[in-house]
Amino acid sequence: MICFSHTSGRYLQALATIFLVSAVSGCASFKEVKSFASLSSNAASHGALTKDYIGALDRRKQYQPEKFHAGLDAQKVRREAQRASLDLLQQSVTDYMQGLNSLATGDVRPYDRSLKDLSSDLNKATLLTHDEKEAVGALSIILARAVTTVYRLHEIRKLIHDGNQPLQDVISATRKIVMKGMIADLQIESALVGRYYDNFMLAPDNPVEPVAMALAKEARTEALGRVNSRIQSARSYDVVLEKIAQGHQYLYDNRDMVGNKEFDRQLKPYVDGLRGAYRNLLGGSP
Amino acid sequence: MDKLTSDDAFELGNQFRDTAIALGDWRISNLSCLSKAQWDELDEREVMLLNIASSIYTAAVGMVLQDSQAALTRLQSSVESAKLAIKHIATLKQALDLASALVLLAGTVYSGNAAAIPGAIVALEDAAEAIATPGEPSE
């Protein structure tokens, strides 16, 4: 063994770098970031809503005189043309959250497989004893994982920093479409359904048939109930989007603390809120 | 005149919808005064108004989609960055370089090859710095 005197400064500096990297990564916790991103990626896309928005025009034909059907068909064509853009809005949030989830998950398994090659290199290092080879190999794997974690932490913070504003804008646009467009449009459907059955039951000169009236009343309640459950589902989706936006804003505001265990605890209520909203959406979907 | 915004269009749609609903309520509360022909005529007007409101909502949704194009492009760019970062993690050659540099250093230290040690330390430092320093990772 030699004396370290000539090189001890640089050697210690290198070791300090290694231990610093290991220490930082040793504390990193992405558990709740991972949960938030995973839940968000599942909850952000609600394809049924777009399908329902386009399908509404066909549904409404039964409640309107035939002379209006051509207009409904023309409007359906306009909505069909919006389908790809509507899907893309939702899909972009899903893609973004999948990216965040993958970074937070950081699959190191393939990386460990690559490190197995190291053992053959170590075996060729004939100047090392068996124990020394074991120790160097173990340390190398720990170190390699540590730098990966530091890199992930940096990339997660960068992604949250760069992604927050466009994400908030995209979610805001989607919420506006859902609340002001789709739900308002479903309220029109509700008016059309009510009007259709009211005509049947109340129009002048209609014969009063008690059985037919009772059936019409029942059918009116059922049809309005179906529209109402569509409205509820759209509202639940809006709440999910609101929770995703709030959670990500919290991530952005505290991005320097990402990886910290205390931050993980603080993020948990946002994750729980999103989970509850998503369950509500799944439970209430028509 | 200022350009119609999506909010203006949504509000306009609401006004058409609410007017149609108010007409319907009036029709029902006055049904005893209306003939069948008058009832039907009013009913058709209501349907027409409701369909117009629906068309306005469709147009307003189109406006929001158009307005959100810039944000969508920026978000997609962030997604691409994330994918790139993930790719780097999956193939993180630098980490292996670092591990190899460590093996080299350990080998030189234990072999007593003093001349090789500075080079091994530099290799280790370079590898550690390339990974730990924020910036463009190389594959």
Side-chain angles (χ1 to χ4, degrees), chain B residues 111-122:
Chain B
S111 69
N113 184 358
I117 289 176
I121 290 175
V122 169

Side-chain angles (χ1 to χ4, degrees), chain A residues 118-192:
Chain A
L118 191 66
S119 59
S120 63
D121 293 341
L122 279 173
N123 286 331
K124 290 172 196 161
T126 51
L127 292 169
L128 302 185
T129 67
H130 176 72
D131 288 347
E132 286 161 356
K133 285 177 191 172
E134 290 276 309
V136 168
L139 183 58
S140 302
I141 289 173
I142 290 167
L143 187 62
R145 279 183 176 168
V147 291
T148 309
T149 305
V150 169
Y151 175 71
R152 278 164 53 205
L153 183 59
H154 168 255
E155 288 300 319
I156 287 171
R157 287 175 178 168
K158 185 171 175 288
L159 181 68
I160 290 168
H161 174 267
D162 295 348
N164 188 59
Q165 196 51 55
L167 182 78
Q168 297 293 341
D169 290 344
V170 165
I171 290 179
S172 169
T174 311
R175 290 187 66 198
K176 187 191 261 193
I177 287 171
V178 171
M179 291 302 286
K180 292 188 170 183
M182 293 175 171
I183 291 179
D185 192 59
L186 283 166
Q187 285 163 344
I188 286 179
E189 188 162 323
S190 195
L192 283 166

Side-chain angles (χ1 to χ4, degrees), chain A residues 2 4 7 10-11 13-14 18 53 60 64 67-68 72 75 78-79 82 85 88-89 92 95-96 99 102-103 111 114-115 118 122 127-128 132 136 140 143 147-148 151-152 154-155 159 162-163 166-167 169-170 173 176-177 180-181 184-185 187-188 191-192 195 198-199 203-205, chain B residues 6-7 10 14 17 21 27-28 31 34-36 39 43-44 46-48 50-51 53-55 57-58 61-62 64-65 68 71-72 74-76 78-79 82 85-86 88-89 92 95-96 98-99 102-103 105-107 109-112 117-118 121-122 124-125 128 131-132 134-135 137:
Chain A
I2 64 155
F4 291 107
T7 56
R10 300 196 75 189
Y11 180 68
Q13 199 182 351
I18 292 163
Y53 168 69
R60 285 173 201 176
Q64 301 191 19
K67 62 190 278 192
F68 293 110
L72 293 174
Q75 204 188 151
R78 288 202 293 278
R79 290 191 180 183
Q82 294 174 343
S85 300
L88 191 60
L89 272 187
S92 293
D95 288 349
Y96 173 85
S102 299
L103 276 174
Y111 176 57
S114 304
L115 276 175
L118 191 66
L122 279 173
L127 292 169
L128 302 185
E132 286 161 356
V136 168
S140 302
L143 187 62
V147 291
T148 309
Y151 175 71
R152 278 164 53 205
H154 168 255
E155 288 300 319
L159 181 68
D162 295 348
L167 182 78
D169 290 344
V170 165
K176 187 191 261 193
I177 287 171
K180 292 188 170 183
D185 192 59
Q187 285 163 344
I188 286 179
L192 283 166
R195 179 211 129 268
D198 285 345
N199 277 356
D205 305 337
Chain B
S6 60
D7 282 330
F10 282 127
N14 290 345
R17 181 197 61 197
I21 291 171
R27 184 168 54 103
I28 287 169
L31 72 98
L34 298 172
S35 67
K36 178 82 168 75
W39 172 279
D43 178 52
E44 278 199 7
E46 284 165 38
V47 173
M48 195 181 289
L50 288 170
N51 285 343
S54 189
S55 284
Y57 289 142
T58 304
V61 166
V64 177
L65 290 173
S68 62
L72 199 59
R74 290 204 308 278
L75 185 61
Q76 282 168 339
S78 284
V79 173
I86 294 157
H88 281 300
I89 283 178
L92 207 63
L96 284 175
L98 187 68
L102 188 72
V103 173
L105 177 65
V109 168
Y110 279 89
S111 69
I117 289 176
I121 290 175
V122 169
L124 181 60
E125 277 184 340
I131 298 155

